[in-house]
Amino acid sequence: MTFRACAIIPTYKHVAALEGIVASLRDIGLQVFVVDDGNEACAARAIAEICARYEGVELERRDVNGGKGAAVLTGLEIASRQGFTHALQVDADGQHDISRVGELLALACANPDALISGRPTFDGSVPRARLFARWITHVWVSINTLSFRIIDSMCGFRVYPVDRTLSVTSGAAIARRMGFDVEVVVRLRWNGVRVVSLPVHVIYPTGNHSNFALWDNVEISRMHARLFFGMLWRAPRLLVARERGEDDASRHWATLGERGSAAGLWLLATVYRLFGRHVCLAIMLPVVLFFFLTGREQRSASMDYLTRMWGAGVFTRKPGWWRSFRHFMSFGAAALDKFAAWTGNIPIEDIDGAYQGEFEAVRNNGKGAFILTAHLGNPEVIRAIASLKRRTRVNVLVHTAHAMRFNALINRYSATSTVRMIQVTDVGPDTAIVLQTAIANGEWVVIVGDRIPINGSARITWAKFFDDLAPFPQGPHILAGILKCPVYLLFCVRQGRRHRVFFEFFAECIDLPRKNREQAIQVSVERYAERLEAYARLAPLQ
């Protein structure tokens, strides 16, 4: 099912921050459902006026105040009727950092069956009594789920899988007021729904009205007691699920550990140097088969990707395990090609598109360039070959230390490489200065533009990609704007026994004016996504 997200804002006696929240959500294109939970006439009029000023905003009025949970469930029912698969819940009091919405939605898109929840990081505005109360609740949630996976159960900044949530809540006498945020998380976990957390900044605005009353403490205490007895008869099943690892939250790509060993890489490298690519591929086949059969998470990701490609018309037949295995083998073959490129074992005669056209012109003009590439094919071929004739210095930005073993292998066999790997999570002023100096010296700066980094502060932009919306990092485009130099796209795919280089002009400079900065980033990301899709269609298994 295609990912479709909307936003739900339950509001009771909160008007001051509402318009800013609505405007921010509409700026990123979300359909917004505001649920007036029985506000008095004056507040109800103000809420209605705010909603009327924006297209794509619908107001649902509840005549009687039923509590936050009741308002959220009303919004979820509306979202389900209108065909939305996921709903972002945002409180109306201005506590949540709306700039993180894109990251929550990206996690929801990558984990469509999971509940995506904010994990608050507080500043000095948080009352100490609130922190203590939250700690008590977290202890009870751990007891009632028999798991420590739920780091925070009280944050009202989250993305629900709509139909799955309604199916769980419809058959339960779930809390309708302040206990809702906690109880719905516990019941979703009981029903096998994973909880994925994202650190988010939460504040307590000055003068903010709290709807939390003394009675809510009584309701929450009764809720914990009720959930405890509900946990007891579910305990055997919950313990079995924990043993099987079914309560593991889906992890970001950069949190996954490397599988295999350094010794295995050294062995393959030696075989490659002695006997060549074909013998090495033959030896790799049972190794790849092992990882294919035992890598449930990776195999699932492969099948999801291939199914999306089939839906976009790239494949004529629905993919199965054989095509997924070929996908794994393609990944292994690419690793060999990377090693060959770095160590100078790919002759220039086997590469089409190198040292000609735009690529050669840029190499010869002596000026620095910013190059956007992707995790498609083997861009390392060009990173290495760029230094073979006139030794162009190439600076490659990477987001993770996962490649440490591979880099150690390369350094052993290619000590004279002019490629400099710069590991970054955030590009701070010091890194920017280094890169500006490199550009001024006529060097190239290379970065991938298709992968969201591990750090929680990464900003993303959604763009159309293979008939769906996909999240892309803003960082590469912002960095290109800072460096103020020509920008090019570079892709390299294997076609039979040869490598094919595609190098094209992207922009003389990515200009990000302060007034229309987000719109300029959106345009740049959309252009990149369009070109990446075109080349991915040429080599979908790469």
Side-chain angles (χ1 to χ4, degrees):
M1 182 180 294
T2 302
F3 180 84
R4 290 190 67 214
C6 64
I8 298 171
I9 308 176
T11 179
Y12 180 65
K13 295 184 179 180
H14 288 138
V15 179
L18 181 62
E19 183 159 12
I21 296 170
V22 168
S24 296
L25 294 175
R26 286 302 301 145
D27 282 346
I28 61 176
L30 282 178
Q31 170 73 35
V32 179
F33 300 109
V34 177
V35 182
D36 177 349
D37 189 25
N39 282 281
E40 295 180 355
C42 182
R45 281 196 301 272
I47 293 169
E49 289 171 359
I50 291 171
C51 294
R53 285 197 282 271
Y54 295 88
E55 293 184 2
V57 178
E58 294 186 23
L59 173 63
E60 179 70 15
R61 162 81 178 171
R62 292 173 53 87
D63 293 331
V64 179
N65 175 252
K68 179 182 180 180
V72 171
L73 289 173
T74 296
L76 289 172
E77 290 165 358
I78 296 170
S80 179
R81 288 197 297 269
Q82 297 196 21
F84 289 97
T85 61
H86 291 75
L88 169 79
Q89 174 188 325
V90 185
D91 289 350
D93 56 3
Q95 288 189 358
H96 301 147
D97 183 0
I98 301 299
S99 69
R100 309 301 297 281
V101 167
E103 292 158 86
L104 285 172
L105 293 176
L107 282 172
C109 185
N111 305 273
D113 296 325
L115 169 69
I116 312 301
S117 178
R119 187 178 75 214
T121 58
F122 296 104
D123 59 13
S125 65
V126 59
R128 295 297 176 185
R130 290 288 180 89
L131 288 177
F132 181 70
R134 294 179 78 91
W135 179 80
I136 294 176
T137 289
H138 298 337
V139 170
W140 274 109
V141 167
S142 296
I143 293 171
N144 290 333
T145 59
L146 298 181
S147 171
F148 294 105
R149 295 290 181 182
I150 301 173
I151 301 174
D152 190 285
S153 61
M154 299 186 73
C155 184
F157 194 30
R158 54 179 59 162
V159 181
Y160 291 100
V162 173
D163 290 341
R164 189 72 184 273
T165 303
L166 289 175
S167 70
V168 169
T169 58
S170 62
I174 195 168
R176 291 299 197 265
R177 293 189 178 275
M178 289 299 181
F180 173 81
D181 282 341
V182 177
E183 184 168 0
V184 72
V185 173
V186 173
R187 291 190 177 275
L188 285 170
R189 282 298 305 122
W190 284 354
N191 284 270
V193 175
R194 293 175 297 110
V195 179
V196 180
S197 299
L198 177 75
V200 295
H201 187 56
V202 175
I203 63 171
Y204 281 75
T206 304
N208 181 50
H209 166 77
S210 174
N211 290 325
F212 201 92
L214 179 62
W215 175 253
D216 289 310
N217 288 312
V218 177
E219 181 202 26
I220 290 174
S221 297
R222 291 173 59 186
M223 174 200 69
H224 285 312
R226 188 174 67 252
L227 292 176
F228 175 76
F229 289 104
M231 175 274 295
L232 289 179
W233 68 270
R234 293 179 174 89
R237 178 169 57 82
L238 294 174
L239 290 172
V240 169
R242 190 174 70 174
E243 285 299 312
R244 292 176 177 173
E246 294 172 8
D247 67 338
D248 286 343
S250 181
R251 296 167 288 170
H252 190 284
W253 60 268
T255 67
L256 297 175
E258 283 185 323
R259 303 180 72 206
S261 66
L265 284 175
W266 298 119
L267 175 62
L268 285 176
T270 302
V271 171
Y272 186 94
R273 290 173 65 86
L274 293 176
F275 303 106
R277 186 175 190 270
H278 294 296
V279 173
C280 205
L281 281 174
I283 293 175
M284 282 180 61
L285 194 147
V287 178
V288 173
L289 179 61
F290 169 79
F291 286 120
F292 175 75
L293 295 175
T294 60
R296 178 173 57 87
E297 193 167 4
Q298 292 78 11
R299 192 173 61 247
S300 175
S302 170
M303 287 300 299
D304 176 70
Y305 163 76
L306 295 173
T307 302
R308 287 174 182 267
M309 295 301 98
W310 172 64
V314 177
F315 302 124
T316 56
R317 297 176 60 185
K318 188 174 182 179
W321 275 42
W322 170 242
R323 181 160 282 166
S324 181
F325 176 67
R326 289 177 57 202
H327 192 196
F328 272 63
M329 279 300 298
S330 177
F331 181 83
L336 289 182
D337 290 339
K338 295 177 197 297
F339 174 76
W342 285 106
T343 55
N345 282 291
I346 297 181
I348 190 63
E349 294 78 17
D350 288 348
I351 301 176
D352 298 324
Y355 300 130
Q356 60 190 35
E358 192 84 51
F359 181 75
E360 183 68 357
V362 174
R363 286 187 73 253
N364 288 332
N365 65 20
K367 298 180 181 178
F370 189 87
I371 299 174
L372 276 171
T373 184
H375 293 86
L376 171 70
N378 190 11
E380 278 82 1
V381 167
I382 300 306
R383 295 176 187 174
I385 290 181
S387 63
L388 288 182
K389 289 188 177 179
R390 191 179 58 79
R391 302 179 65 78
T392 306
R393 181 81 174 186
V394 179
N395 302 272
V396 181
L397 275 64
V398 295
H399 292 293
T400 174
H402 276 193
M404 288 181 65
R405 293 177 186 163
F406 193 80
N407 288 342
L409 183 69
I410 295 304
N411 291 335
R412 175 170 177 175
Y413 286 104
S414 184
T416 60
S417 173
T418 61
V419 177
R420 175 169 55 175
M421 307 289 285
I422 303 176
Q423 184 182 322
V424 294
T425 49
D426 287 309
V427 177
D430 52 343
T431 307
I433 292 173
V434 170
L435 297 178
Q436 285 176 327
T437 302
I439 293 292
N441 291 336
E443 300 177 14
W444 289 3
V445 173
V446 181
I447 189 171
V448 293
D450 62 341
R451 180 175 278 179
I452 301 170
I454 186 173
N455 62 303
S457 62
R459 299 293 183 258
I460 65 169
T461 290
W462 291 79
K464 184 179 179 183
F465 189 68
F466 284 104
D467 300 329
D468 206 343
L469 289 178
F472 289 85
Q474 294 183 357
H477 303 266
I478 294 172
L479 180 58
I482 293 172
L483 296 180
K484 299 187 183 303
C485 65
V487 181
Y488 298 86
L489 299 182
L490 183 154
F491 304 100
C492 178
V493 299
R494 189 177 182 93
Q495 296 179 332
R497 301 183 62 175
R498 303 178 64 80
H499 295 276
R500 175 67 183 174
V501 174
F502 300 94
F503 192 86
E504 63 180 65
F505 176 77
F506 187 72
E508 187 61 40
C509 177
I510 295 181
D511 185 28
L512 303 178
R514 181 173 299 179
K515 185 176 180 181
N516 300 312
R517 188 169 183 265
E518 288 300 320
Q519 293 90 327
I521 293 174
Q522 181 75 43
V523 170
S524 185
V525 169
E526 287 178 350
R527 287 184 57 218
Y528 170 82
E530 179 184 0
R531 299 308 298 147
L532 175 58
E533 177 178 332
Y535 290 113
R537 286 181 177 273
L538 293 178
L541 293 183
Q542 296 181 40

